[in-house]
Amino acid sequence: MHVIPAHAIAVSLHPPADPVELSIRNLCGGKPTSRCVVEVAQLQGGCIARRQARRLGFSGRVIDRWIAKGWLLPIHRGVYAVGHLPRTHEERWWGAVLACGKGAKASAATSAAAHALLRPHSRVHVTTPSKRARPGVATHTADTETVWIDGLPCSTVARTLLDLAGCVPAGVLESAVRQAQVRGVLELRALAELMLAFPRARGVRRLRSILGDPVLLAPTRSKPERIALRALLEAGWEWPQVGEAIAGENVDFSWPGPRLVLEIDGPTHLTPVQRARDARRDAKLAAQGWQIVRVLDTDAARAPAALRRVVDSPPQRWQTDDSTRGGAAALRRGGAAA
């Protein structure tokens, strides 16, 4: 399964409109009201900075009165939650970024969570152009590119992976790299350029070892799939298509030549309901000439043997034309090595 649930992410390379300017524009020259504060906060995870409220035209005395009444709740120095304390990770990220001032952006593990590469962590990481410390926030100093995810400034995927490499365990880094590959956002060229630009950065060696391992870069969705893929490659099988759709059905591994599909089944596939779904799915693929092989996730390392029984079976098990049988033979490199 994926590292995290997949969901749509709106990533922009251009900075969004300033929420304060939008609110001022909506006033049309009128007097500022508390509604302006709410409008700004709605675009920033329910948070607003004191400097933003002052730009809207509110005096320090009015702001202090709102704080005393509990309408503005301090979460960082000069940053307030409007109406209630942050309830989600996104709201906490916004508070930390606003607290770190101009040019601040979510980075490292926080940016990875915003890009949907890792699950959110309780500690918020923020990178700023100049050195700045804020209690409760892990701050880093660097002048890097910025992308905006639903308005939140974040590090690019490449920079996020480079930053992660120096501060998370190897397994977590591998998960983030794989998820970036699965989501189609892994910019290998951009990441390579960063690694060349910062050869002494922490974790560069670890990143190189991951990028040099094709199994770790393949868009597999679970550990058993990676075990099966490694076993297949070590047994001499051609590199399969990973996670591709066939007749509208996503399959784990497929080889178009011999029209062969390999599925790695977890515990959910043993339930009666899922078995019925798998049977209908297999019948749909079989009707189009595909041979389906299923292996339990606990037996993932035996995937080459399971496939070999199909490939080495009598020709009538395959389509009768010579081209298909040739594809089956070509699937195995090294003959007996498979």
Side-chain angles (χ1 to χ4, degrees):
M1 61 181 65
H2 289 175
V3 175
I4 58 171
H7 61 277
I9 300 176
V11 180
S12 173
L13 300 177
H14 307 288
D18 187 331
V20 176
E21 296 301 330
L22 283 177
S23 184
I24 293 175
R25 195 180 310 157
N26 292 338
L27 286 174
C28 298
K31 248 182 150 182
T33 65
S34 58
R35 180 62 192 171
C36 300
V37 175
V38 174
E39 289 177 358
V40 172
Q42 284 176 339
L43 298 174
Q44 301 179 154
C47 303
I48 189 169
R50 190 181 187 94
R51 64 183 181 276
Q52 293 178 316
R54 294 299 299 268
R55 281 181 57 204
L56 286 170
F58 297 102
S59 66
R61 184 177 299 178
V62 171
I63 296 171
D64 291 338
R65 187 164 63 245
W66 286 341
I67 295 172
K69 289 182 177 181
W71 187 58
L72 292 184
L73 303 170
I75 54 177
H76 293 285
R77 189 174 71 186
V79 177
Y80 314 101
V82 178
H84 62 80
L85 291 173
R87 298 169 180 168
T88 66
H89 290 288
E90 289 79 3
E91 292 172 351
R92 293 176 55 250
W93 300 342
W94 267 109
V97 169
L98 288 173
C100 291
K102 186 177 180 180
K105 67 191 69 123
S107 61
T110 302
S111 179
H115 282 287
L117 305 183
L118 293 176
R119 294 187 182 277
H121 191 267
S122 58
R123 194 174 190 193
V124 181
H125 292 257
V126 176
T127 291
T128 58
S130 56
K131 191 173 182 180
R132 184 165 302 190
R134 288 291 181 269
V137 180
T139 56
H140 313 272
T141 305
D143 189 9
T144 62
E145 289 185 84
T146 305
V147 294
W148 287 263
I149 301 177
D150 294 330
L152 178 71
C154 298
S155 301
T156 63
V157 170
R159 181 69 198 208
T160 295
L161 293 175
L162 180 64
D163 292 341
L164 276 180
C167 62
V168 298
V172 176
L173 179 61
E174 290 174 6
S175 296
V177 172
R178 282 196 305 272
Q179 189 68 8
Q181 180 80 337
V182 168
R183 300 188 70 89
V185 296
L186 181 60
E187 304 165 352
L188 286 175
R189 180 174 180 178
L191 185 55
E193 289 175 353
L194 279 175
M195 293 167 64
L196 289 173
F198 303 97
R200 297 184 180 179
R202 292 178 59 191
V204 167
R205 184 177 300 176
R206 185 186 294 169
L207 261 180
R208 283 176 179 159
S209 67
I210 293 175
L211 296 176
D213 189 338
V215 173
L216 294 179
L217 277 180
T220 52
R221 296 170 293 179
S222 66
K223 185 175 181 180
E225 287 184 20
R226 291 189 293 279
I227 292 174
L229 179 57
R230 192 179 296 280
L232 289 166
L233 297 179
E234 290 177 351
W237 289 73
E238 293 289 346
W239 188 276
Q241 293 183 346
V242 182
E244 294 291 327
I246 299 174
E249 303 288 350
N250 288 325
V251 299
D252 295 337
F253 304 107
S254 58
W255 291 265
R259 301 181 77 77
L260 181 64
V261 167
L262 171 65
E263 294 278 48
I264 308 300
D265 292 345
T268 57
H269 289 266
L270 300 179
T271 63
V273 173
Q274 189 59 47
R275 282 185 182 224
R277 289 177 181 172
D278 290 342
R280 290 193 296 270
R281 191 166 174 267
D282 292 353
K284 178 181 178 181
L285 296 177
Q288 299 196 23
W290 290 85
Q291 181 84 10
I292 297 89
V293 176
R294 291 187 174 274
V295 176
L296 291 177
D297 57 355
T298 53
D299 294 329
R302 300 179 184 178
L307 288 179
R308 187 171 57 200
R309 286 195 293 271
V310 175
V311 174
D312 289 344
S313 60
Q316 59 266 26
R317 291 289 300 278
W318 297 86
Q319 293 181 345
T320 56
D321 62 280
D322 292 338
S323 62
T324 303
R325 289 199 300 272
L331 186 65
R332 293 172 290 131
R333 295 201 311 266

